[in-house]
């Protein structure tokens, strides 16, 4: 019952979303901003409940696999398919998922996109929102990569989809100005760079 209420509360906030991408993004942002990462010194000290969707959605506190399961359950409730993935990041066991949009898969790591506690507990970044395997494997290692659906599409990558990417084809200062204007109502400026070896110091 508690899980159903938690899921329904999130679904009620999706009323203005029209596409699966919009639903996925809002679900990601809600869970990332409202679920605390359960801090621990030893993996063995983590209560089992923190590995579950219940921990993330009801108790609002979980570790990576609980956060990922919560994300998947709400996606599934909105008819968006996903696959649970495990591996390592920085040498530590980790979990994330692959989300299916328009028959293509994308990696999403809600835990790594979670809140910036040193600034504001409600801020969420999108560095690992709908990224390719190639991009993800710069920081993540899959446990069973050969058995996972391939993620090579870039259409729904957060920065590319929102045109918040600066490439070597762009005038850096002009494109940055356009991004600032488009994000002027947001509390955090986000963009990515591609093919640029040195971002200007003045930034």
């Amino acid at each position: 019952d508690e899980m159903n209420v938690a899921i329904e509360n999130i679904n009620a906030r999706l009323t203005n979303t029209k596409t699966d991408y919009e639903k996925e993004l809002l679900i990601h942002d809600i869970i990332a901003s409202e679920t605390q990462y359960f801090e621990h010194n030893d993996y063995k000290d983590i209560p089992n409940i923190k590995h579950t969707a219940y921990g993330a959605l009801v108790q609002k506190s979980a570790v990576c696999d609980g956060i990922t399961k919560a994300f998947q359950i709400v996606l599934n409730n909105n008819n968006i398919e996903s696959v649970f993935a495990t591996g390592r990041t920085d040498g530590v066991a980790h979990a994330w998922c692959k989300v299916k949009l328009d028959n293509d898969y994308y990696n999403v790591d809600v835990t790594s996109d979670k809140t910036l506690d040193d600034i504001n507990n409600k801020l969420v970044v999108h560095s690992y929102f709908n990224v390719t395997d190639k991009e993800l494997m710069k920081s993540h290692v899959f446990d069973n990569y050969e058995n996972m659906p391939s993620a090579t599409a870039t259409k729904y990558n957060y920065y590319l989809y929102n045109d918040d990417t600066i490439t070597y084809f762009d005038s850096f200062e002009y494109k940055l100005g356009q991004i600032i204007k488009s994000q002027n109502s947001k509390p955090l400026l986000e963009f990515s760079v591609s093919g640029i070896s040195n971002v200007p110091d003045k930034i």
Side-chain angles (χ1 to χ4, degrees):
D1 288 344
E2 290 175 294
M3 285 287 288
N4 286 335
V5 169
I7 293 169
E8 288 170 7
N9 285 340
I10 294 178
N11 287 342
R13 296 156 72 177
L14 303 178
T15 53
N16 293 324
T17 57
K18 297 178 181 178
T19 67
D20 285 348
Y21 171 85
E22 291 172 338
K23 291 177 182 178
E24 178 204 16
L25 177 60
L26 188 52
I27 294 166
H28 168 279
D29 289 359
I30 290 170
I31 292 175
S33 64
E34 297 182 1
T35 304
Q36 289 284 339
Y37 183 79
F38 181 77
E39 298 292 345
H40 56 279
N41 295 320
D42 191 323
Y43 190 79
K44 297 176 183 177
D45 295 334
I46 304 172
N48 288 337
I49 198 72
K50 301 304 180 182
H51 292 287
T52 68
Y54 181 89
L57 291 176
V58 178
Q59 295 186 343
K60 303 294 186 182
S61 172
V63 290
C64 58
D65 53 344
I67 292 170
T68 300
K69 292 168 188 173
F71 182 54
Q72 288 190 281
I73 283 176
V74 184
L75 286 175
N76 184 65
N77 197 259
N78 285 274
N79 299 311
I80 300 173
E81 295 180 36
S82 63
V83 177
F84 190 80
T86 61
R88 306 184 80 78
T89 180
D90 293 327
V92 178
H94 194 53
W96 63 96
C97 69
K98 291 193 168 195
V99 178
K100 189 177 183 181
L101 298 173
D102 293 349
N103 294 316
D104 289 316
Y105 282 92
Y106 299 83
N107 292 285
V108 183
D109 185 350
V110 183
T111 307
S112 293
D113 281 347
K114 253 197 62 52
T115 52
L116 301 175
D117 292 322
D118 57 327
I119 298 176
N120 182 310
N121 199 40
K122 297 298 182 183
L123 292 181
V124 178
V125 297
H126 300 87
S127 302
Y128 295 100
F129 186 83
N130 290 350
V131 298
T132 63
D133 289 339
K134 181 179 179 181
E135 189 66 26
L136 188 81
M137 287 192 288
K138 292 178 181 178
S139 54
H140 293 52
V141 176
F142 282 91
D143 280 337
N144 55 344
Y145 180 69
E146 64 281 357
N147 296 323
M148 299 294 291
S150 177
T152 59
T154 59
K155 177 180 178 180
Y156 290 113
N157 171 269
Y158 179 83
Y159 300 109
L160 291 173
Y161 189 81
N162 293 288
D163 196 26
D164 290 335
T165 295
I166 305 176
T167 75
Y168 61 92
F169 292 113
D170 297 310
S171 165
F172 189 93
E173 291 185 6
Y174 176 79
K175 186 63 182 291
L176 179 59
Q178 295 299 106
I179 293 172
I180 292 172
K181 287 180 182 178
S182 70
Q183 297 187 31
N184 63 8
S185 63
K186 298 180 180 180
L188 178 72
L189 179 67
E190 281 191 85
F191 65 94
S192 66
V193 295
S194 175
I196 300 174
S197 58
N198 293 303
V199 175
D201 292 338
K202 69 178 69 175
I203 195 160

